[in-house]
Amino acid sequence: MVGNQKPTYRVCPKYKTTAGDDAAQLASCYGLIPDEWQISILKDWLAIGADSLYIAPTCGLSVPRQNGKNALIEMRELYGICVLGEKFLHTAHEVRTARKAFERLCCFFENPKLYPDLADEVRVIRKANGQEKIELKNGGCVEFSARSRGAARGYTVDVVVFDEAQEFTDEQSEAIIPTLSASPLKNRQFIYTGTPPPPGSHGEVFGRIRERAYGDAAKNLCWVEWAVKEIGDVHDKKRWYKTNPAMGIRIDEDFTEEECSAMSDDGFARERLGWWASKQSSYIFSEEKWASYKAEKSLYWVDGRVSCGVKFSFTGNNFALCMAVEGADYTYLELPQNMYGFGNGVAQLAEFLIANKNKIANVAIDGKACTGSLFDAIKDEVSKKQVLLPNAMQVASCANLLVDRLESGKAKHSNQDIFNETAPYIVKRPIGNTGAWGFGGAVDTTPIEAASLALLASRTAKINPGKKQKML
């Protein structure tokens, strides 16, 4: 028996023209013989429209481990640099994975006896750690990099490969995606390959692309996966063959039985059957639970001590300010109008805080990108006793504080779209190795983080304006 060569789910724009067969033939000439399923994916990835541009600028592949994802990437890169003259950035979650991919591709260009034509095309091969690169005389090249928040800055490429895409985060995305903005060939493509994310994974991007593929926003997207819909009977060998195209070719039953015995059912289902756990199960707040925390009425600027929390995203591209009003029965949380958005927001936040300095007991500010700028903008107008720049331990405690207050009924939130469209999709993001956690997920977390900081500010306030407030 041989594994299923057709994916369990595929979405791709229709096309008539593709270089996929040519890429498969080229790879075969150099000993890289593609399986049937790899040829079909090469066809999808290298399909072009009437404008000669890729019909799928974004391509995703989810298939269990050891089935041949890396060989498929090599086929795509080999054709891209040798025939099309494309510039690639090959990224991986770990340094050793990126290095291994570099060494595998080098084998085709550093063997003049076996592949003299490829060796003759080499302009330079750079092997210094962190600077690995294969560049050909036709301008085609592949550069390799482990992903980090700033590792990809300075690159200008046509195609970005995201290996181990299940670990790819939004913060890394903000650094890498702009590398294609000035694509030399003006024909851009992102290729994401990986497996279903494990519990506690920080990666948000891969799952969001999959959601697009299963939803109504799949235009210009190619997504292919081998996966079961539920854990089910992990010992059913028919399911092994259904979700592993290399079963019976590079993966054997005996070793798979060992995997099945050694792993938990959900671990085996994820790693060998391609099972994607429901995201709903990992959300901190369900939609129903979040709705139950809603306040019946607004306490915006009423009697009671008012504190604020300000959160900037890591890059400073997003910001949010939330107010915490201490009512008689609970703390009320609301985001004032225009105190949430994109861009660093320092000027408008400073204006709001200064204008209301006589009504605010305390403000907690977090986010390395812009905290200093906001503090400098308000320090001459607002008392130092009214400003908290929390340390790491205080920030790490904020998420727990908010959840505890909401669940105990000691805090309630406003009925705002900003909250309702993000909070139910928040997951726990581990911080360090101490068990601490913060808010994470595929949505903007600045509103919920601002709310948690507002509670911290209220809890640590050193002064109370003590004035009866009126609606603005």
Side-chain angles (χ1 to χ4, degrees), residues 280 285-293 424:
Q280 187 67 34
F285 312 111
S286 65
E287 291 185 14
E288 295 78 10
K289 183 180 288 188
W290 182 252
S292 72
Y293 301 148

Side-chain angles (χ1 to χ4, degrees), residues 174-188:
E174 292 177 2
I176 295 177
I177 299 302
T179 60
L180 268 71
S181 60
S183 164
L185 297 180
K186 307 301 180 186
N187 194 13
R188 305 168 179 85

Side-chain angles (χ1 to χ4, degrees), residues 10-76:
R10 171 185 175 270
V11 60
C12 187
K14 293 181 180 181
Y15 58 86
K16 295 181 179 180
T17 305
T18 178
D21 286 323
D22 293 340
Q25 184 176 2
L26 178 70
S28 297
C29 290
Y30 299 106
L32 196 58
I33 312 298
D35 296 339
E36 179 184 335
W37 71 275
Q38 292 171 321
I39 295 174
S40 66
I41 291 177
L42 285 172
K43 289 180 179 180
D44 288 349
W45 288 0
L46 288 165
I48 59 175
D51 55 4
S52 297
L53 301 179
Y54 292 125
I55 56 122
T58 299
C59 299
L61 167 64
S62 177
V63 64
R65 296 166 61 184
Q66 304 302 317
N67 273 282
K69 291 189 296 292
N70 291 331
L72 178 62
I73 293 172
E74 290 170 26
M75 297 173 198
R76 174 66 181 87

Side-chain angles (χ1 to χ4, degrees), residues 172-342:
Q172 294 166 351
S173 177
E174 292 177 2
I176 295 177
I177 299 302
T179 60
L180 268 71
S181 60
S183 164
L185 297 180
K186 307 301 180 186
N187 194 13
R188 305 168 179 85
Q189 191 168 63
F190 297 106
I191 298 175
Y192 301 82
T193 69
T195 56
S201 171
H202 298 182
E204 305 99 351
V205 180
F206 201 40
R208 191 161 58 240
I209 294 172
R210 183 175 185 266
E211 288 177 2
R212 283 178 54 199
Y214 273 86
D216 297 325
K219 184 179 180 182
N220 300 328
L221 168 66
C222 173
W223 177 269
V224 179
E225 74 177 27
W226 277 258
V228 293
K229 295 182 179 180
E230 57 186 8
I231 295 176
D233 181 6
V234 296
H235 300 280
D236 183 352
K237 294 183 179 181
K238 291 181 181 179
R239 301 175 84 218
W240 300 357
Y241 281 90
K242 181 179 180 181
T243 54
N244 290 272
M247 184 67 70
I249 302 174
R250 286 178 296 279
I251 302 174
D252 61 70
E253 284 190 17
D254 290 342
F255 184 74
T256 304
E257 285 186 9
E258 293 294 328
E259 288 181 316
C260 191
S261 299
M263 296 182 186
S264 63
D265 284 0
D266 60 333
F268 182 83
R270 182 175 57 252
E271 297 295 338
R272 183 53 60 209
L273 304 182
W275 170 68
W276 284 72
S278 171
K279 289 189 66 178
Q280 187 67 34
S281 63
S282 62
Y283 293 146
I284 298 173
F285 312 111
S286 65
E287 291 185 14
E288 295 78 10
K289 183 180 288 188
W290 182 252
S292 72
Y293 301 148
K294 182 180 65 176
E296 294 182 0
K297 63 178 180 179
S298 172
L299 299 183
Y300 190 72
W301 292 126
V302 301
D303 288 347
R305 189 177 63 195
V306 177
S307 298
C308 293
V310 174
K311 177 64 183 181
F312 294 100
S313 65
F314 178 82
T315 60
N317 290 339
N318 298 7
F319 70 92
L321 178 148
C322 182
M323 292 194 318
V325 183
E326 295 295 341
D329 301 315
Y330 56 82
T331 304
Y332 174 72
L333 301 168
E334 181 169 335
L335 283 84
Q337 188 176 8
N338 299 323
M339 291 297 105
Y340 164 78
F342 302 95

Side-chain angles (χ1 to χ4, degrees), residues 88-141:
F88 284 77
L89 173 61
H90 182 123
T91 75
H93 179 58
E94 296 184 346
V95 172
R96 63 179 180 178
T97 309
R99 181 74 186 185
K100 185 177 180 180
F102 167 69
E103 292 172 348
R104 284 171 58 110
L105 198 60
C106 275
C107 292
F108 295 102
F109 297 94
E110 291 189 313
N111 195 335
K113 290 185 178 180
L114 193 59
Y115 308 128
D117 52 339
L118 292 183
D120 188 56
E121 290 299 314
V122 173
R123 174 175 292 168
V124 63
I125 294 179
R126 192 164 58 206
K127 295 189 175 183
N129 286 337
Q131 301 179 33
E132 292 88 346
K133 177 180 181 180
I134 300 171
E135 183 176 357
L136 305 185
K137 294 175 183 177
N138 68 352
C141 72

